[in-house]
Amino acid sequence: GLGWIDMMGGAAFGLLEGAGLVTICIIVSIAFFPKSDWVAESRLTPMFFSLCDQAMDMSPSDIAKRVRDGMAEIQAHSPPWFQ
């Protein structure tokens, strides 16, 4: 039947759902805790910056400014591998 199609669809949906949840957590962290060591030293956070930036196009301007300022601060004080 549809066993493998169902599993592949579920895997794709789960991947998108997980990426969305991680992006939301990173947005909240960057907006309210941009100077946190764990955010600045994370290897996962930079991978989601493009998604965060795209999400800010649909966000209220004050939140978008906080997140973009936090991303700029993280990039300015990031280790060399981040560049």
Side-chain angles (χ1 to χ4, degrees), residues 34-82:
K35 296 185 185 213
S36 303
D37 289 339
W38 68 270
V39 173
E41 296 174 4
S42 170
R43 290 187 180 254
L44 180 66
T45 300
M47 296 178 194
F48 287 87
F49 272 9
S50 62
L51 284 174
C52 292
D53 193 45
Q54 290 175 3
M56 291 305 96
D57 292 338
M58 298 178 280
S59 299
S61 61
D62 56 334
I63 297 292
K65 182 177 178 349
R66 287 181 76 161
V67 170
R68 287 191 172 121
D69 289 347
M71 288 184 350
E73 185 173 329
I74 290 170
Q75 288 173 333
H77 298 97
S78 63
W81 57 262
F82 182 77

Side-chain angles (χ1 to χ4, degrees), residues 1 3 5-7 12 17 26 28 30-31 40 46 50-51 71-73 76 83:
I5 295 173
D6 187 41
M7 285 191 299
E17 183 180 20
I26 291 172
V28 169
I30 291 172
S50 62
L51 284 174
M71 288 184 350
E73 185 173 329
Q83 308 302 333

Side-chain angles (χ1 to χ4, degrees), residues 2-20:
L2 295 175
W4 68 274
I5 295 173
D6 187 41
M7 285 191 299
M8 295 305 280
F13 182 74
L15 182 67
L16 290 173
E17 183 180 20

